[in-house]
Amino acid sequence: MQKSVQVNVVYNVNESNFVEKVQSNRRPCVLKGLDIGECSTKWTAEYLSNVGGKVECVIHVSETPQMDFINKNYLYRKLPFSEVVKRAAETNHAEYFLTKNEYYYFRSLGENVRKDVSNITEQFPQIKDDIRIPDFFPPESFFSSVFRIASAGMQLWTHYDVMDNLLIQVNGRKRVVLFAPSDALHLYLQGDKSLVTDIYNPDIKKFPKFVQAVRFECVLEAGDVLFIPALWFHNVVALEFGVAVNVFWKNLHSEMYDKKDPYGNKDLVPAARSMDILNRALKVLDELPEDYKDFYARRMVARIQEKSFKTEKL
């Protein structure tokens, strides 16, 4: 049976105590009672559809609510923003791409998706003044603000980001399951994503170590803000039609981050270099006979554990 822990809930967090009370703990935390602006009452489906207009948006469309990045069970399509909101808020569609009850997921992108980061003040200037982003980090550390809209039931795969971020749940309810960075070995990673696509009914024969991962769980209500520390894996399910904004910032020195990363999910520069060196070392190990290769590989693992692993109490 997989161990489950409820994410801590904190009230009365402000600019002066966020670092000490929340960020320095390096644990996810639900922040309640924050002033997120007029969006909490204004951002209905009707309002967003009216003010969003005909801005063309790229969306994910899927026949099933659980998006699978391995089998790519979704399509990329383009729709005007007003139509994205309208369809995401519906359960049955008069117009559709796949089926009458297909699911929609929208993540805002920069003007040039390969170079520019998402910033709602630039992509959606007509609604930027509706939302108040908490001043929990220096302005120069800001990286991106990502506008998200999802159909009820839509589930996004488990992944991690390399920056701290705030998930501002403007409306709708959302279930979030998180896993600590120390559980990386139990999540069967492929890049920044977990191969365990169904965390509620996992294939234990295929992923036996997954049961050792500790789940941190919460349900976000409208107006809640979830602090997600860098490297914490998270899996999100929209329990209702929902609108949210993710705000990412560079919690480390800017030189640590890949300057060509518009999404904020490329490994830190020293980490990427280390992985490259490791891959080269593994190729050299292949030159050894099997028994020798096994022996020296175990010595390498022991060395990495001795020098780099930390003891973490959950």
Side-chain angles (χ1 to χ4, degrees):
M1 193 73 177
Q2 198 170 44
K3 182 180 178 181
S4 177
V5 177
Q6 288 299 305
V7 173
N8 192 31
V9 177
V10 178
Y11 295 84
N12 302 318
V13 174
N14 54 47
E15 291 84 353
S16 63
N17 64 18
F18 170 75
V19 172
E20 179 184 357
K21 202 170 183 178
V22 178
Q23 189 178 22
S24 61
N25 295 326
R26 309 312 296 160
R27 294 284 191 90
C29 186
V30 178
L31 313 179
K32 287 185 175 285
L34 294 179
D35 177 12
I36 62 171
E38 294 181 330
C39 62
S40 58
T41 55
K42 290 177 71 172
W43 283 10
T44 62
E46 181 180 7
Y47 172 81
L48 290 175
S49 184
N50 288 336
V51 301
K54 298 186 182 299
V55 176
E56 193 172 67
C57 301
V58 177
I59 56 170
H60 296 71
V61 184
S62 176
E63 292 184 76
T64 62
Q66 186 183 83
M67 287 199 299
D68 181 348
F69 79 96
I70 300 171
N71 298 308
K72 294 289 190 294
N73 64 341
Y74 51 85
L75 303 174
Y76 290 108
R77 290 293 183 266
K78 291 183 178 181
L79 282 174
F81 181 79
S82 58
E83 187 68 14
V84 172
V85 177
K86 173 179 172 292
R87 294 197 194 185
E90 299 172 339
T91 52
N92 288 288
H93 314 293
E95 297 180 85
Y96 51 88
F97 295 106
L98 299 169
T99 65
K100 290 183 178 181
N101 57 352
E102 63 194 16
Y103 296 84
Y104 294 83
Y105 171 65
F106 167 70
R107 179 211 191 278
S108 61
L109 303 169
E111 296 301 322
N112 184 325
V113 298
R114 297 184 182 277
K115 295 181 179 180
D116 301 330
V117 300
S118 174
N119 187 338
I120 61 172
T121 63
E122 297 175 1
Q123 281 90 52
F124 296 94
Q126 64 272 46
I127 59 174
K128 67 180 178 65
D129 293 330
D130 293 344
I131 187 167
R132 181 183 182 278
I133 295 173
D135 297 323
F136 289 162
F137 52 89
E140 62 270 19
S141 298
F142 171 82
F143 178 73
S144 67
S145 52
V146 181
F147 196 25
R148 301 183 191 271
I149 297 175
S151 299
M154 177 60 77
Q155 181 177 2
L156 190 61
W157 51 74
T158 305
H159 68 285
Y160 71 86
D161 301 293
V162 297
M163 299 180 191
D164 284 359
N165 83 87
L166 297 174
L167 172 55
I168 304 171
Q169 189 64 28
V170 178
N171 60 40
R173 298 167 65 244
K174 185 171 289 178
R175 177 184 293 118
V176 186
V177 175
L178 305 102
F179 301 95
S182 57
D183 267 326
L185 296 179
H186 304 138
L187 297 178
Y188 300 88
L189 300 184
Q190 181 174 299
D192 63 333
K193 305 173 185 66
S194 170
L195 294 174
V196 187
T197 55
D198 188 348
I199 66 170
Y200 296 100
N201 296 287
D203 185 341
I204 299 304
K205 289 185 179 179
K206 189 175 182 180
F207 307 113
K209 293 182 181 179
F210 180 68
V211 295
Q212 299 177 46
V214 178
R215 304 162 69 105
F216 287 74
E217 302 187 68
C218 63
V219 173
L220 299 180
E221 307 288 342
D224 287 348
V225 177
L226 175 63
F227 169 62
I228 305 177
L231 306 184
W232 274 74
F233 300 88
H234 41 288
N235 181 288
V236 179
V237 179
L239 301 177
E240 304 168 346
F241 161 73
V243 178
V245 174
N246 267 116
V247 181
F248 294 86
W249 71 95
K250 297 178 180 179
N251 53 295
L252 300 176
H253 193 280
S254 61
E255 294 301 315
M256 288 282 189
Y257 301 96
D258 189 322
K259 292 180 172 58
K260 296 181 180 180
D261 177 17
Y263 294 96
N265 57 10
K266 285 188 177 181
D267 287 321
L268 300 179
V269 172
R273 283 168 43 208
S274 298
M275 292 295 288
D276 184 54
I277 293 169
L278 174 61
N279 288 330
R280 290 201 300 256
L282 291 173
K283 287 184 178 180
V284 176
L285 275 182
D286 283 337
E287 299 174 11
L288 293 170
E290 185 175 359
D291 289 348
Y292 287 79
K293 176 181 174 181
D294 178 86
F295 173 75
Y296 285 105
R298 291 177 188 275
R299 287 193 59 188
M300 289 172 65
V301 170
R303 183 66 172 160
I304 291 172
Q305 289 180 323
E306 176 190 352
K307 295 292 290 182
S308 302
F309 279 29
K310 74 172 187 175
T311 301
E312 183 171 350
K313 297 180 180 179
L314 296 179

